[in-house]
Amino acid sequence: MSNFEALFDYIQEISGKLLSADDKYLLMAHFKPKKLRKRQYFLQEGDICKYIGFIVKGSARTFTVDEKGHEHILKLSLENWWLADFESFYLLTPSRFNIEALEDLEVLQSTNAQIEEFLKHIPAFSAMANVISQNYTIANQKRMQAAMSYTAEERYEDLISNYPHFLQRFPQNMIASYLGLSPETLSRIRKNSFK
Amino acid sequence: MSNFEALFDYIQEISGKLLSADDKYLLMAHFKPKKLRKRQYFLQEGDICKYIGFIVKGSARTFTVDEKGHEHILKLSLENWWLADFESFYLLTPSRFNIEALEDLEVLQSTNAQIEEFLKHIPAFSAMANVISQNYTIANQKRMQAAMSYTAEERYEDLISNYPHFLQRFPQNMIASYLGLSPETLSRIRKNSFK
DNA sequence: ACCTTGAATTGACTTATATCAAGCGCATTT
DNA sequence: AAATGCGCTTGATATAAGTCAATTCAAGGT
């Protein structure tokens, strides 16, 4: 399955280790392909996030809705990213987030219990998990710093230099929400930075 | 050493596993006690964060200084927390952060290479690391959501309910900076919420 | 006990960003 | 081709929070 090749490549590249035939067999047995059409939900607020998904193709957003009905995007996700509300996934608590496909989406999904098995039995998988956890910690630290210390314009510049492909893949109103801005403000920032 | 007892208790409690006498011996051999007076720096911007510290006693803040000279606190840390700029610690890059003792501080510190050894040889330690990594991911997700969706007042309420002891341990201007507010704004928020 | 320093408060004013509203272009549907 | 909806832009205005400045107060150093 070419679907699984993407996952295998990813695990091997991130972990720096090879997957054995048995490893691959185990992964194929317990990751289930799932397709979502654009606008469909991978997770809805209030539900428990039973599955973690590896994005093979497409994109998604993780967002909350506040009391005023405004949406706030916390994460934008593309190919080779993991899709889940980790709080709900780990703790089995109802999620405060929604995860929605922004383009037609193909994921390979699995449950927490199965992930535990992979961690136990597949060295490359557990090495990958460690690297990802480091990367997440670093990315979170950076994003938090950006949110706290940067002006709207600086956050946008920052996005351009760190995730330039986001601008191609996501509409501006989604980018604006991800940056914590109204669409109008982002539009004005772009206008000014052309000058 | 009563210092080490705090660390041992912490590891066993978080991991749910016991430390053997050998485990403890290994930890004691490679965690070095270090004391800092109030206002001293555990890490300075531009330096590489060679050590991770376990706080036995005291408190600290992790902050950046922006181009205008304004400080932004990203983290406030107390007993039984780990102290480090993880980006610099993992990647050995110069840190963009300062870590400063807010009270006289006692830590047990160790290097990245030694931590790798603990992870390899001490099951309780590696179990603890997994739990902490989950907790960090969850806490970061929450903090990010709060920063994006909440008003200043809501963030303060949120702090009161999640970390009430912060108000006892840290001065208000530090709390303000941690919440991304000016000290004046926090003062006004407190005044209003008494009403 | 005095002096200095810095934290917290309060008031007046400024600024960044949000909100509201209207119009335009573009794609999709019918 | 007309109609609908939606994303983006632009202008006018509102608002939350920051900045600047003055005052009080408590704590620490000498």
Side-chain angles (χ1 to χ4, degrees):
Chain A
M1 289 290 102
S2 71
N3 268 352
F4 281 99
E5 285 307 324
L7 176 61
F8 298 157
D9 289 351
Y10 172 82
I11 295 173
Q12 293 181 134
E13 188 185 326
I14 300 282
S15 70
K17 297 188 177 194
L18 290 178
L19 291 163
S20 71
D22 278 0
D23 291 342
K24 293 186 181 177
Y25 186 81
L26 188 60
L27 291 168
M28 290 176 69
H30 295 295
F31 269 103
K32 302 274 189 284
K34 165 130 188 169
K35 293 194 181 200
L36 292 178
R37 303 286 307 280
K38 184 175 176 169
R39 300 267 127 189
Q40 281 189 298
Y41 280 64
F42 179 79
L43 175 69
Q44 295 206 35
E45 189 178 346
D47 290 353
I48 289 170
C49 183
K50 283 185 59 181
Y51 300 103
I52 187 169
F54 175 81
I55 304 182
V56 172
K57 186 145 188 27
S59 61
R61 65 177 179 136
T62 302
F63 68 100
T64 50
V65 182
D66 68 21
E67 325 80 63
K68 286 173 200 145
H70 294 155
E71 298 179 353
H72 303 273
I73 295 181
L74 274 101
K75 211 185 297 186
L76 290 170
S77 308
L78 291 169
E79 287 83 6
N80 291 3
W81 292 51
W82 295 94
L83 215 50
D85 166 12
F86 288 102
E87 180 175 5
S88 172
F89 184 72
Y90 290 141
L91 306 182
L92 301 177
T93 51
S95 180
R96 290 165 294 128
F97 301 112
N98 302 277
I99 302 182
E100 181 202 26
L102 291 179
E103 305 168 327
D104 289 353
L105 189 63
E106 294 177 40
V107 300
L108 295 169
Q109 68 180 25
S110 193
T111 63
N112 201 349
Q114 284 156 354
I115 297 285
E116 295 290 341
E117 291 303 307
F118 300 144
L119 289 171
K120 236 180 263 163
H121 300 301
I122 305 177
F125 196 91
S126 106
M128 173 203 75
N130 288 334
V131 173
I132 289 180
S133 146
Q134 280 192 13
N135 291 349
Y136 267 53
T137 301
I138 293 169
N140 279 328
Q141 214 178 47
K142 277 191 182 161
R143 182 129 192 261
M144 202 61 222
Q145 189 212 346
M148 306 239 348
S149 336
Y150 291 178
T151 64
E153 190 160 352
E154 288 165 338
R155 293 205 299 279
Y156 181 63
E157 309 285 359
D158 199 48
L159 181 82
I160 290 176
S161 47
N162 290 318
Y163 306 101
H165 50 297
F166 273 28
L167 303 180
Q168 267 65 57
R169 290 292 287 278
F170 299 108
Q172 271 175 44
N173 58 350
M174 298 293 166
I175 301 274
S177 175
Y178 177 75
L179 292 171
L181 299 174
S182 68
E184 292 95 331
T185 298
L186 181 56
S187 174
R188 288 186 248 263
I189 285 171
R190 286 166 51 83
K191 187 178 163 192
N192 289 335
S193 60
F194 270 130
K195 71 113 204 339
Chain B
M1 290 289 103
S2 71
N3 269 352
F4 280 100
E5 285 307 325
L7 176 61
F8 297 158
D9 288 351
Y10 173 82
I11 294 173
Q12 293 181 135
E13 187 185 327
I14 300 282
S15 71
K17 297 188 176 193
L18 289 179
L19 290 163
S20 70
D22 279 357
D23 291 342
K24 293 186 181 176
Y25 187 80
L26 188 61
L27 291 169
M28 289 176 69
H30 296 293
F31 269 104
K32 302 275 189 280
K34 165 130 188 170
K35 293 193 182 198
L36 292 177
R37 304 284 307 280
K38 182 175 177 170
R39 300 266 127 189
Q40 281 189 296
Y41 281 64
F42 179 79
L43 174 69
Q44 296 206 34
E45 188 178 346
D47 290 352
I48 289 169
C49 184
K50 283 185 60 181
Y51 301 104
I52 187 169
F54 176 81
I55 304 181
V56 173
K57 187 147 186 24
S59 61
R61 63 178 181 135
T62 300
F63 68 100
T64 50
V65 182
D66 68 22
E67 324 81 61
K68 287 175 200 143
H70 294 154
E71 298 180 352
H72 303 274
I73 296 180
L74 274 100
K75 211 186 297 186
L76 291 170
S77 308
L78 290 169
E79 287 83 5
N80 290 3
W81 293 52
W82 295 94
L83 215 50
D85 167 13
F86 288 102
E87 180 176 5
S88 173
F89 184 74
Y90 289 141
L91 306 181
L92 302 177
T93 52
S95 179
R96 290 165 294 128
F97 302 112
N98 302 277
I99 302 181
E100 182 201 27
L102 290 179
E103 305 169 327
D104 290 352
L105 189 63
E106 294 176 39
V107 300
L108 296 169
Q109 67 180 26
S110 193
T111 63
N112 200 349
Q114 283 157 355
I115 297 286
E116 295 290 341
E117 292 302 307
F118 299 144
L119 289 171
K120 235 181 264 165
H121 300 300
I122 305 176
F125 196 90
S126 104
M128 172 204 75
N130 289 334
V131 174
I132 290 179
S133 147
Q134 279 192 13
N135 291 349
Y136 268 52
T137 300
I138 292 169
N140 280 327
Q141 213 178 50
K142 276 191 184 162
R143 182 129 191 260
M144 201 63 222
Q145 189 212 345
M148 306 241 348
S149 339
Y150 291 178
T151 65
E153 190 159 353
E154 286 166 338
R155 293 205 298 281
Y156 181 63
E157 308 286 358
D158 199 47
L159 181 82
I160 291 176
S161 48
N162 290 317
Y163 305 101
H165 50 298
F166 272 28
L167 303 180
Q168 268 64 57
R169 291 292 287 277
F170 299 108
Q172 272 174 45
N173 57 349
M174 299 293 165
I175 302 275
S177 175
Y178 177 76
L179 292 172
L181 300 174
S182 68
E184 293 94 332
T185 298
L186 180 57
S187 174
R188 290 182 180 112
I189 285 171
R190 286 166 51 83
K191 189 178 164 191
N192 288 335
S193 61
F194 269 130
K195 68 114 206 350

PDB file of all heavy atoms in Angstrom, chain B residues 11-25:
ATOM      1  N   ILE B  11      10.380  11.014  41.163  1.00  0.00           N
ATOM      2  CA  ILE B  11      10.466  10.033  40.062  1.00  0.00           C
ATOM      3  C   ILE B  11       9.524   8.860  40.316  1.00  0.00           C
ATOM      4  O   ILE B  11       8.783   8.422  39.432  1.00  0.00           O
ATOM      5  CB  ILE B  11      11.910   9.508  39.901  1.00  0.00           C
ATOM      6  CG1 ILE B  11      12.837  10.640  39.453  1.00  0.00           C
ATOM      7  CG2 ILE B  11      11.961   8.346  38.907  1.00  0.00           C
ATOM      8  CD1 ILE B  11      14.321  10.258  39.422  1.00  0.00           C
ATOM      9  N   GLN B  12       9.524   8.386  41.551  1.00  0.00           N
ATOM     10  CA  GLN B  12       8.695   7.216  41.869  1.00  0.00           C
ATOM     11  C   GLN B  12       7.214   7.550  41.793  1.00  0.00           C
ATOM     12  O   GLN B  12       6.407   6.754  41.306  1.00  0.00           O
ATOM     13  CB  GLN B  12       9.071   6.674  43.257  1.00  0.00           C
ATOM     14  CG  GLN B  12      10.477   6.100  43.243  1.00  0.00           C
ATOM     15  CD  GLN B  12      10.932   5.513  44.583  1.00  0.00           C
ATOM     16  OE1 GLN B  12      11.499   4.436  44.631  1.00  0.00           O
ATOM     17  NE2 GLN B  12      10.692   6.238  45.666  1.00  0.00           N
ATOM     18  N   GLU B  13       6.878   8.750  42.246  1.00  0.00           N
ATOM     19  CA  GLU B  13       5.471   9.114  42.237  1.00  0.00           C
ATOM     20  C   GLU B  13       4.961   9.299  40.806  1.00  0.00           C
ATOM     21  O   GLU B  13       3.903   8.769  40.432  1.00  0.00           O
ATOM     22  CB  GLU B  13       5.246  10.394  43.037  1.00  0.00           C
ATOM     23  CG  GLU B  13       3.766  10.699  43.190  1.00  0.00           C
ATOM     24  CD  GLU B  13       3.529  12.027  43.883  1.00  0.00           C
ATOM     25  OE1 GLU B  13       4.354  12.393  44.755  1.00  0.00           O
ATOM     26  OE2 GLU B  13       2.539  12.703  43.536  1.00  0.00           O
ATOM     27  N   ILE B  14       5.706  10.034  39.996  1.00  0.00           N
ATOM     28  CA  ILE B  14       5.255  10.305  38.630  1.00  0.00           C
ATOM     29  C   ILE B  14       5.242   9.023  37.785  1.00  0.00           C
ATOM     30  O   ILE B  14       4.331   8.800  37.000  1.00  0.00           O
ATOM     31  CB  ILE B  14       6.172  11.340  37.940  1.00  0.00           C
ATOM     32  CG1 ILE B  14       6.177  12.652  38.704  1.00  0.00           C
ATOM     33  CG2 ILE B  14       5.766  11.549  36.487  1.00  0.00           C
ATOM     34  CD1 ILE B  14       4.973  13.500  38.467  1.00  0.00           C
ATOM     35  N   SER B  15       6.283   8.220  37.948  1.00  0.00           N
ATOM     36  CA  SER B  15       6.407   7.042  37.096  1.00  0.00           C
ATOM     37  C   SER B  15       5.534   5.888  37.564  1.00  0.00           C
ATOM     38  O   SER B  15       5.194   5.013  36.777  1.00  0.00           O
ATOM     39  CB  SER B  15       7.860   6.572  37.062  1.00  0.00           C
ATOM     40  OG  SER B  15       8.213   6.016  38.316  1.00  0.00           O
ATOM     41  N   GLY B  16       5.205   5.888  38.863  1.00  0.00           N
ATOM     42  CA  GLY B  16       4.513   4.743  39.415  1.00  0.00           C
ATOM     43  C   GLY B  16       5.401   3.515  39.560  1.00  0.00           C
ATOM     44  O   GLY B  16       4.912   2.396  39.698  1.00  0.00           O
ATOM     45  N   LYS B  17       6.714   3.727  39.506  1.00  0.00           N
ATOM     46  CA  LYS B  17       7.651   2.612  39.653  1.00  0.00           C
ATOM     47  C   LYS B  17       8.639   2.907  40.772  1.00  0.00           C
ATOM     48  O   LYS B  17       8.877   4.068  41.107  1.00  0.00           O
ATOM     49  CB  LYS B  17       8.450   2.404  38.357  1.00  0.00           C
ATOM     50  CG  LYS B  17       7.608   2.016  37.167  1.00  0.00           C
ATOM     51  CD  LYS B  17       8.490   1.642  35.979  1.00  0.00           C
ATOM     52  CE  LYS B  17       7.620   1.166  34.821  1.00  0.00           C
ATOM     53  NZ  LYS B  17       8.428   0.514  33.770  1.00  0.00           N
ATOM     54  N   LEU B  18       9.229   1.866  41.288  1.00  0.00           N
ATOM     55  CA  LEU B  18      10.204   2.038  42.365  1.00  0.00           C
ATOM     56  C   LEU B  18      11.622   2.136  41.802  1.00  0.00           C
ATOM     57  O   LEU B  18      11.939   1.540  40.774  1.00  0.00           O
ATOM     58  CB  LEU B  18      10.129   0.861  43.331  1.00  0.00           C
ATOM     59  CG  LEU B  18       8.865   0.816  44.191  1.00  0.00           C
ATOM     60  CD1 LEU B  18       8.878  -0.410  45.101  1.00  0.00           C
ATOM     61  CD2 LEU B  18       8.733   2.087  45.037  1.00  0.00           C
ATOM     62  N   LEU B  19      12.450   2.873  42.512  1.00  0.00           N
ATOM     63  CA  LEU B  19      13.870   2.954  42.175  1.00  0.00           C
ATOM     64  C   LEU B  19      14.631   1.927  43.005  1.00  0.00           C
ATOM     65  O   LEU B  19      14.433   1.836  44.223  1.00  0.00           O
ATOM     66  CB  LEU B  19      14.401   4.357  42.493  1.00  0.00           C
ATOM     67  CG  LEU B  19      13.907   5.500  41.598  1.00  0.00           C
ATOM     68  CD1 LEU B  19      14.157   6.848  42.269  1.00  0.00           C
ATOM     69  CD2 LEU B  19      14.562   5.448  40.226  1.00  0.00           C
ATOM     70  N   SER B  20      15.494   1.183  42.355  1.00  0.00           N
ATOM     71  CA  SER B  20      16.337   0.241  43.105  1.00  0.00           C
ATOM     72  C   SER B  20      17.483   1.011  43.757  1.00  0.00           C
ATOM     73  O   SER B  20      17.708   2.186  43.470  1.00  0.00           O
ATOM     74  CB  SER B  20      16.920  -0.795  42.147  1.00  0.00           C
ATOM     75  OG  SER B  20      17.877  -0.176  41.311  1.00  0.00           O
ATOM     76  N   ALA B  21      18.207   0.332  44.634  1.00  0.00           N
ATOM     77  CA  ALA B  21      19.374   0.957  45.269  1.00  0.00           C
ATOM     78  C   ALA B  21      20.393   1.371  44.210  1.00  0.00           C
ATOM     79  O   ALA B  21      20.984   2.458  44.289  1.00  0.00           O
ATOM     80  CB  ALA B  21      20.007  -0.024  46.261  1.00  0.00           C
ATOM     81  N   ASP B  22      20.544   0.524  43.195  1.00  0.00           N
ATOM     82  CA  ASP B  22      21.474   0.860  42.102  1.00  0.00           C
ATOM     83  C   ASP B  22      21.021   2.100  41.334  1.00  0.00           C
ATOM     84  O   ASP B  22      21.834   2.958  40.988  1.00  0.00           O
ATOM     85  CB  ASP B  22      21.583  -0.316  41.111  1.00  0.00           C
ATOM     86  CG  ASP B  22      22.543  -1.391  41.617  1.00  0.00           C
ATOM     87  OD1 ASP B  22      23.143  -1.182  42.700  1.00  0.00           O
ATOM     88  OD2 ASP B  22      22.677  -2.428  40.931  1.00  0.00           O
ATOM     89  N   ASP B  23      19.733   2.144  41.058  1.00  0.00           N
ATOM     90  CA  ASP B  23      19.185   3.321  40.369  1.00  0.00           C
ATOM     91  C   ASP B  23      19.539   4.585  41.145  1.00  0.00           C
ATOM     92  O   ASP B  23      20.033   5.564  40.582  1.00  0.00           O
ATOM     93  CB  ASP B  23      17.644   3.222  40.295  1.00  0.00           C
ATOM     94  CG  ASP B  23      17.170   2.110  39.356  1.00  0.00           C
ATOM     95  OD1 ASP B  23      17.980   1.656  38.525  1.00  0.00           O
ATOM     96  OD2 ASP B  23      16.001   1.718  39.473  1.00  0.00           O
ATOM     97  N   LYS B  24      19.285   4.536  42.442  1.00  0.00           N
ATOM     98  CA  LYS B  24      19.523   5.719  43.272  1.00  0.00           C
ATOM     99  C   LYS B  24      20.996   6.089  43.270  1.00  0.00           C
ATOM    100  O   LYS B  24      21.369   7.263  43.218  1.00  0.00           O
ATOM    101  CB  LYS B  24      19.048   5.465  44.709  1.00  0.00           C
ATOM    102  CG  LYS B  24      17.543   5.318  44.815  1.00  0.00           C
ATOM    103  CD  LYS B  24      17.070   5.203  46.258  1.00  0.00           C
ATOM    104  CE  LYS B  24      15.546   5.037  46.299  1.00  0.00           C
ATOM    105  NZ  LYS B  24      15.039   4.821  47.672  1.00  0.00           N
ATOM    106  N   TYR B  25      21.811   5.066  43.311  1.00  0.00           N
ATOM    107  CA  TYR B  25      23.246   5.300  43.314  1.00  0.00           C
ATOM    108  C   TYR B  25      23.667   6.010  42.026  1.00  0.00           C
ATOM    109  O   TYR B  25      24.418   6.992  42.037  1.00  0.00           O
ATOM    110  CB  TYR B  25      23.980   3.966  43.456  1.00  0.00           C
ATOM    111  CG  TYR B  25      25.465   4.157  43.627  1.00  0.00           C
ATOM    112  CD1 TYR B  25      26.005   4.511  44.875  1.00  0.00           C
ATOM    113  CD2 TYR B  25      26.325   4.014  42.539  1.00  0.00           C
ATOM    114  CE1 TYR B  25      27.363   4.712  45.029  1.00  0.00           C
ATOM    115  CE2 TYR B  25      27.688   4.210  42.689  1.00  0.00           C
ATOM    116  CZ  TYR B  25      28.206   4.560  43.929  1.00  0.00           C
ATOM    117  OH  TYR B  25      29.543   4.759  44.080  1.00  0.00           O
TER     118      TYR B  25
END
